[in-house]
Amino acid sequence: MKPCVAWLFLSLLPTCALAQEFEEATAAKSLRFDAPDGHYQTWSGEVSCPVNAIRGVAHFERYGRPTTVWHPGIVIFVRAGEGRAERHVRLAFHARKYRPPFTVDLDSGLDDARTLGHATFRIRPGSDNGFSFLIYWNASGEVAAEVGGEHHTLRIGKRPDRIQINGTTGAGTVGFQFGHVSEGEHDECKPIA
């Protein structure tokens, strides 16, 4: 990771109480995207215990022009299951006016065909072209997201096993790190030793 991206990553991490409970499981990673207008670039990976959280910072360098497909943004999917039985929670940041601030939505769905839940964050981050996030989950499939101190939770019914990050209609960087957040006394996903 470039020094300036590492500094940005460390300086913008969520400041909520749970962020202080975050135990690092991996080194910080950096995803660079440069998606033409109306297109996206993606990164995906599998997750398993002791990982039950991802935190990160996104920074935009270029906002695309209006298209009929996607606004400039970052979308983070937390997925469980496969095929028609797949369930997911999607944390989406979109610059709907093709410049900041970003609208922030949290959705849960079944196989991209049916929405199971939705929450819109009041916060509108990104006036400095960047924002931070924290997503964490537990064995019963509760997935929570925190952005700028605001918190929302949705259910998908089972522990997520995959993460996907998309960068759309623009260019920038997403610095992220996997870790563990306590699930309480019934923590099936044991903390990092």
Coordinates of all heavy atoms in Angstrom, one line a residue, residues 6 17 32 38 68 72 78 90 116 134 136 138 148 183-184 186 189:
A6 N -2.0 4.4 3.0 CA -2.0 3.8 4.3 C -2.3 4.9 5.3 O -3.1 4.6 6.3 CB -0.6 3.3 4.6
A17 N -17.6 3.1 19.0 CA -17.1 2.3 20.1 C -16.7 0.9 19.5 O -15.7 0.3 20.0 CB -18.2 2.1 21.1
R32 N -7.6 -0.6 -6.0 CA -7.6 0.5 -7.0 C -8.6 0.2 -8.0 O -8.6 -0.8 -8.6 CB -6.2 0.7 -7.5 CG -6.1 1.7 -8.6 CD -5.8 3.1 -8.0 NE -5.7 4.0 -9.1 CZ -6.5 5.1 -9.3 NH1 -7.4 5.4 -8.3 NH2 -6.4 5.9 -10.3
G38 N -20.6 4.2 -16.5 CA -21.6 3.2 -16.7 C -21.0 1.8 -16.5 O -21.7 0.8 -16.8
T68 N -27.0 5.9 -17.9 CA -28.3 5.4 -17.5 C -28.1 4.2 -16.6 O -29.0 3.6 -16.1 CB -29.1 4.9 -18.7 OG1 -28.3 4.0 -19.4 CG2 -29.4 6.1 -19.6
P72 N -21.4 7.2 -9.8 CA -20.1 7.0 -9.2 C -20.3 6.4 -7.8 O -21.2 7.0 -7.0 CB -19.4 8.3 -9.1 CG -20.1 9.1 -10.2 CD -21.5 8.6 -10.3
V78 N -21.9 -8.4 1.3 CA -21.6 -9.4 2.3 C -22.6 -10.6 1.9 O -23.8 -10.4 2.0 CB -21.8 -9.0 3.7 CG1 -21.5 -10.1 4.7 CG2 -20.9 -7.8 4.0
R90 N -26.0 -5.4 1.2 CA -25.2 -4.5 0.3 C -25.2 -3.1 1.0 O -26.2 -2.5 1.3 CB -25.9 -4.4 -1.0 CG -25.4 -3.5 -2.0 CD -26.3 -3.4 -3.2 NE -27.5 -2.6 -2.9 CZ -27.7 -1.4 -3.4 NH1 -26.9 -0.9 -4.2 NH2 -28.8 -0.8 -3.1
L116 N -35.2 -7.9 0.9 CA -35.7 -8.4 2.2 C -35.7 -7.3 3.2 O -36.5 -7.4 4.2 CB -34.8 -9.5 2.7 CG -34.7 -10.8 1.8 CD1 -33.8 -11.8 2.3 CD2 -36.1 -11.4 1.6
L134 N -17.6 0.4 8.6 CA -17.3 -0.8 9.3 C -18.6 -1.7 9.1 O -19.7 -1.2 9.3 CB -17.2 -0.5 10.8 CG -17.1 -1.7 11.8 CD1 -15.9 -2.5 11.5 CD2 -17.2 -1.2 13.2
Y136 N -19.9 -5.7 10.2 CA -19.7 -6.8 11.0 C -20.9 -7.7 11.1 O -22.0 -7.2 10.8 CB -19.2 -6.5 12.4 CG -20.0 -5.5 13.1 CD1 -21.0 -5.9 14.1 CD2 -19.9 -4.1 12.9 CE1 -21.8 -5.0 14.7 CE2 -20.7 -3.2 13.6 CZ -21.6 -3.7 14.5 OH -22.5 -2.8 15.1
N138 N -22.7 -11.9 12.6 CA -22.6 -13.0 13.5 C -23.2 -14.2 13.0 O -23.6 -14.3 11.8 CB -23.3 -12.6 14.9 CG -24.8 -12.3 14.7 OD1 -25.4 -12.8 13.8 ND2 -25.3 -11.5 15.6
G148 N -19.9 6.9 9.8 CA -20.0 8.2 10.5 C -20.7 8.2 11.8 O -21.5 9.1 12.1
E183 N -18.9 -11.2 19.3 CA -20.3 -11.5 19.2 C -21.0 -11.7 20.5 O -22.1 -12.2 20.6 CB -20.5 -12.7 18.3 CG -20.0 -12.5 16.9 CD -20.1 -13.8 16.0 OE1 -20.9 -14.7 16.3 OE2 -19.3 -13.8 15.0
G184 N -20.3 -11.3 21.6 CA -20.9 -11.5 22.9 C -20.6 -12.9 23.5 O -19.7 -13.6 23.1
H186 N -22.0 -15.6 23.3 CA -22.2 -16.8 22.4 C -21.4 -16.7 21.2 O -21.9 -17.0 20.1 CB -23.7 -16.9 22.1 CG -24.6 -17.0 23.3 ND1 -24.6 -18.1 24.1 CD2 -25.5 -16.2 23.9 CE1 -25.4 -18.0 25.1 NE2 -26.0 -16.8 25.0
C189 N -17.6 -17.5 16.6 CA -16.5 -17.2 15.7 C -15.4 -16.6 16.7 O -15.4 -15.4 17.0 CB -16.9 -16.2 14.7 SG -15.8 -16.0 13.3

